[in-house]
C-alpha cells in the first residue's frame, strides 16, 4: 500500500484551509487502518526531519495482517520495532515523531521513491540486503528469472565447494 507524506506546511493546524492538512498526522490513521493482509506500507515524500514509522504503527499493522513497512526516511522506537515480529525497513532510527511535523496526504496512489515508481499492487520484497520493487505487470517474468539465477548460483556454489577455481567457474558457467 503506497503512502504519500509531506512535511507539515504550517506552524499550527489552524493555518490550514485543507481539512486533511489540518488534522494531526493528516490521513495517516486512515491509511494505517486500511492495510490489508499481506500488504506492505510503503511511504515516501517527507524530509528526514522526523520518523515515518514507530512501535504503535507496527502493532496496528501486525494486527491487520500486513507484511511489513518500507519508509523512505526514519523509524523510531528502535528497540521495540527491532524486537517486533513485524519487519520495518527504513534509513535508520530517529527519535522525533511525525506528530505536527508530517502529514499523510494520500494513499494507494503511485509514488516515487528515489528513481523508482511504485504503484499500488506492486510486489515489495525485502531482506537483510535491502528492498526491491517488482512491478505487478512483469512479476511472472521477474520471478522466473530470479529462480533461474538462484539455480545457477547453487550449481556454481557446489562447483566452488568441490574445488573449482573462480576463474574456471566463471568461464564455464558465466556466473559469479
Amino acid at each position: 500500500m503506497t503512502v504519500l507524506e509531506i512535511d507539515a506546511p504550517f506552524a499550527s493546524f489552524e493555518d490550514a484551509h485543507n481539512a486533511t492538512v489540518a488534522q494531526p498526522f493528516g490521513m495517516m490513521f486512515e491509511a494505517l487502518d486500511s492495510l490489508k493482509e499481506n500488504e506492505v506500507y510503503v511511504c515516501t515524500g517527507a524530509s528526514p526531519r522526523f520518523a515515518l514509522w514507530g512501535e504503535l504503527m507496527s502493532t496496528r499493522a501486525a494486527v491487520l495482517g500486513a507484511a511489513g513497512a518500507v519508509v523512505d526516511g526514519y523509524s523510531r522506537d528502535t528497540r521495540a520495532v527491532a524486537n517486533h515480529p513485524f519487519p520495518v525497513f527504513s534509513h535508520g532510527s530517529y527519535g522525533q515523531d511525525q506528530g505536527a511535523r508530517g502529514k499523510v496526504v494520500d494513499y494507494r496512489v503511485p509514488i516515487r521513491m528515489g528513481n523508482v515508481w511504485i504503484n499500488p499492487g506492486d510486489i515489495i520484497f525485502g531482506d537483510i540486503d535491502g528492498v526491491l520493487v517488482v512491478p505487478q505487470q512483469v512479476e511472472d517474468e521477474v520471478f522466473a528469472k530470479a529462480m533461474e539465477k538462484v539455480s545457477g548460483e547453487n550449481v556454481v556454489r557446489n562447483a566452488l565447494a568441490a574445488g573449482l577455481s573462480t576463474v574456471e567457474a566463471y568461464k564455464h558457467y558465466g556466473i559469479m
Side-chain angles (χ1 to χ4, degrees):
M1 182 185 70
T2 55
V3 178
L4 181 62
E5 178 137 359
I6 63 167
D7 288 7
F10 304 110
S12 74
F13 300 128
E14 294 79 32
D15 295 334
H17 297 284
N18 178 300
T20 297
V21 176
Q23 296 177 57
F25 301 96
M27 299 174 76
M28 194 265 288
F29 300 141
E30 291 87 350
L32 187 61
D33 283 345
S34 78
L35 273 168
K36 296 180 176 114
E37 189 172 356
N38 295 319
E39 282 190 319
V40 177
Y41 184 100
V42 182
C43 181
T44 192
S47 71
R49 298 184 312 114
F50 53 90
L52 298 170
W53 193 265
E55 177 187 14
L56 297 178
M57 294 175 78
S58 288
T59 301
R60 178 63 177 149
V63 165
L64 293 171
V70 176
V71 296
D72 190 13
Y74 296 102
S75 58
R76 63 188 301 266
D77 308 321
T78 306
R79 281 191 182 92
V81 168
N83 292 324
H84 201 287
F86 186 82
V88 176
F89 296 86
S90 70
H91 292 252
S93 59
Y94 188 65
Q96 196 71 272
D97 73 357
Q98 53 189 310
R101 296 165 193 85
K103 309 283 185 175
V104 169
V105 293
D106 213 347
Y107 59 99
R108 298 192 188 285
V109 295
I111 60 173
R112 184 174 173 167
M113 196 176 286
N115 289 326
V116 177
W117 280 100
I118 306 168
N119 292 290
D122 285 350
I123 297 8
I124 307 295
F125 178 83
D127 67 12
I128 196 166
D129 291 324
V131 176
L132 64 89
V133 177
V134 179
Q136 194 172 23
Q137 64 270 25
V138 294
E139 71 179 275
D140 292 338
E141 177 186 353
V142 168
F143 286 114
K145 287 183 177 182
M147 294 307 294
E148 182 181 313
K149 181 169 175 49
V150 167
S151 179
E153 287 179 350
N154 288 339
V155 169
V156 172
R157 182 183 315 103
N158 292 338
L160 292 171
L164 189 64
S165 73
T166 54
V167 170
E168 288 302 314
Y170 189 75
K171 258 190 219 178
H172 187 266
Y173 299 105
I175 299 172
M176 183 50 64

